[in-house]
Amino acid sequence: MPKAEETVLEIDLNALKKNYTHLKTKLNSNTKFMAVVKAFAYGNDAAVIANFLQTIGANYFAVAYASEGVQLRKAGITAPILVLHPLPSNFDAIIEHCLEPNLYNSKVLNEFIKTAATKNQNNYPVHIKFNTGLNRLGFTKNDVKLISNKLAETSTIKVASLFSHLVASEDLNEKAFTLHQIHTFKNIADNFSNTVGYKPMLHICNTSGILNYPEAHFDMVRSGIGLYGFGNSETENKHLTPIATLKTIISQIHTIKKGESVGYNRGFISDGNYKTATLPIGHADGIGRQYGKQKGYVVIKGKKAPIIGNVCMDMIMVNITNIDCNEGDETIIFDKNTTAEDLAQTANTISYELITGISQRVKRTFLK
Ligand SMILES: *Cc1c(COP(=O)(O)O)cnc(C)c1O
């Protein structure tokens, strides 16, 4: 691997391929794979990630917002793209770029039909989301008749899929709740196809759903975090490889005497003789203040160096008292061994938050 000369997020596309291939082994050959590339592909660069996944066979893509879908179209993605959280103000752009909206309540259903009609659309592919317990977005099971009546009035749209989202697919203590969601979803789907007269594709599983509920893969699965190397469980993590390495270099080393302090507001006060390293990465790059005060750490020469004092906007200071290192040496924030999940846990958060928070200022590089 090339040595860092500045702060970089290095993305290993071979690891991405391995994760994709591993997740595919869990599926029947006719189950479609929707790659979730919202939030800049969880911080990894959506255009590069989606193009790579499109080449190796991903069938569908999902983004959160229409603007993310437009960017993918501009980057050459020709596969269908589901917009998970479209807003009526984006409907023109959605149709213009052949994006497929999630219609989650009567208001967006009606408004989308209106926009599609003014643009003379016929059988425009849409996806209907049902709320089976998350209480975030979606129609309820009692809305099938209402949707069916609306669909009967128009041929502008055609339902490509029905879907729902699991509340706690990674938490096996909530298995009964998850099974109930799956059961509810099946009933809705049966009711829908009986009422409307055709069978859209069905999907409910995210990454942990794929791993824990093979009986619920239906026609398609939606995977995000698994592609990026995290399986939300120790056993599953063994089969997946984090694709991103966040690394930087030591800018300056200081010797701190007893009683001196380090950083803003004297966040660290020395009780002895210390050696500290200042690194060019801070909360503006995605390392939040919650990692300061010895909670988070970085790895230098294979050893953990805790972050001391408060995280600054553009820098952190770490304790290197027992590490033989020099200015200019490489520093790992997270990689395949000391993972983003490990670091996230030090601040009581999850890998999703840490990796999606790495800001655009950090240069992305790619290994093939
Ligand atoms: C983000 C998201 C996913 C992907 O979840 P992972 O846990 O990252 O696999 C799937 N479905 C919906 C509706 C989402 O919002």
Side-chain angles (χ1 to χ4, degrees):
M1 286 198 181
K3 279 231 168 287
E5 294 174 347
E6 59 182 323
T7 304
V8 292
L9 188 72
E10 184 177 78
I11 293 139
D12 181 351
L13 295 174
N14 282 321
L16 177 64
K17 184 172 182 180
K18 260 181 63 187
N19 296 335
Y20 172 78
T21 308
H22 175 71
L23 292 164
K24 287 278 285 184
T25 64
K26 306 279 175 182
L27 309 180
N28 287 329
S29 58
N30 49 0
T31 304
K32 289 194 163 71
F33 194 103
M34 176 183 275
V36 181
V37 293
K38 63 193 180 193
F40 207 50
Y42 290 41
N44 292 291
D45 193 323
V48 175
I49 299 287
N51 267 302
F52 185 79
L53 290 170
Q54 182 170 258
T55 313
I56 62 175
N59 308 99
Y60 242 96
F61 290 94
V63 293
Y65 298 112
S67 59
E68 297 177 313
V70 172
Q71 287 194 346
L72 289 185
R73 285 283 180 251
K74 288 183 175 159
I77 299 303
T78 53
I81 300 171
L82 166 61
V83 179
L84 292 165
H85 197 165
L87 302 167
S89 60
N90 311 136
F91 288 168
D92 283 341
I94 284 180
I95 293 173
E96 197 179 314
H97 293 93
C98 297
L99 306 173
E100 303 181 4
N102 162 22
L103 304 179
Y104 48 87
N105 64 11
S106 290
K107 181 174 156 65
V108 293
L109 173 65
N110 293 338
E111 297 220 7
F112 191 77
I113 289 172
K114 239 191 262 165
T115 309
T118 35
K119 293 184 178 292
N120 300 316
Q121 297 298 315
N122 202 28
N123 288 331
Y124 193 94
V126 301
H127 303 260
I128 305 272
K129 188 171 201 182
F130 285 94
N131 173 15
T132 55
L134 186 57
N135 289 322
R136 195 171 70 173
L137 289 181
F139 285 98
T140 73
K141 62 178 194 290
N142 304 321
D143 292 329
V144 171
K145 189 74 201 157
L146 175 155
I147 299 166
S148 163
N149 290 343
K150 194 71 203 171
L151 292 173
E153 289 171 10
T154 175
S155 62
T156 52
I157 62 169
K158 171 109 184 182
V159 180
S161 86
L162 305 180
F163 74 111
S164 188
H165 197 36
L166 297 172
V167 168
S169 56
E170 74 279 25
D171 183 357
L172 295 175
N173 295 319
E174 293 291 357
K175 189 157 188 178
F177 189 91
T178 305
L179 292 175
H180 184 71
Q181 279 194 279
I182 294 166
H183 179 76
T184 307
F185 180 59
K186 267 193 202 145
N187 284 343
I188 292 169
D190 287 343
N191 185 12
F192 187 95
S193 42
N194 291 335
T195 317
V196 176
Y198 58 89
K199 281 190 182 185
M201 286 190 294
L202 306 178
H203 45 111
I204 195 169
C205 285
N206 66 338
T207 299
S208 294
I210 297 172
L211 301 171
N212 294 330
Y213 297 93
E215 71 276 28
H217 290 173
F218 296 105
D219 302 301
M220 182 153 71
V221 294
R222 308 184 301 269
S223 178
I225 201 78
L227 287 170
Y228 311 115
F230 301 94
N232 294 330
S233 96
E234 261 174 50
T235 355
E236 296 301 342
N237 284 346
K238 289 197 189 103
H239 304 287
L240 297 165
T241 310
I243 70 166
T245 295
L246 180 60
K247 56 189 181 178
T248 188
I249 55 165
I250 298 174
S251 297
Q252 191 173 7
I253 291 177
H254 291 278
T255 305
I256 309 293
K257 293 200 196 73
K258 188 171 175 171
E260 287 191 297
S261 62
V262 177
Y264 283 130
N265 304 105
R266 310 195 70 197
F268 175 81
I269 301 212
S270 166
D271 57 2
N273 291 324
Y274 282 85
K275 206 166 58 151
T276 66
T278 303
L279 311 175
I281 185 167
H283 63 72
D285 303 288
I287 307 301
R289 267 175 84 89
Q290 65 273 28
Y291 291 97
K293 302 238 170 138
Q294 335 233 26
K295 292 221 167 56
Y297 52 79
V298 303
V299 176
I300 300 172
K301 305 264 181 199
K303 290 188 177 157
K304 280 188 185 176
I307 300 171
I308 58 176
N310 287 311
V311 170
C312 311
M313 187 183 294
D314 313 305
M315 285 171 253
I316 52 177
M317 280 70 93
V318 300
N319 183 355
I320 53 161
T321 308
N322 298 314
I323 305 175
D324 183 16
C325 58
N326 297 301
E327 290 170 354
D329 280 354
E330 185 170 272
T331 301
I332 302 292
I333 318 298
F334 56 71
D335 66 1
K336 294 173 171 54
N337 306 311
T338 310
T339 68
E341 179 63 30
D342 299 332
L343 181 56
Q345 276 176 14
T346 67
N348 278 322
T349 182
I350 54 177
S351 59
Y352 294 79
E353 185 183 41
L354 180 57
I355 63 176
T356 58
I358 303 305
S359 72
Q360 300 292 305
R361 176 165 89 175
V362 176
K363 182 164 136 189
R364 270 71 174 168
T365 61
F366 300 90
L367 290 177
K368 290 211 176 157

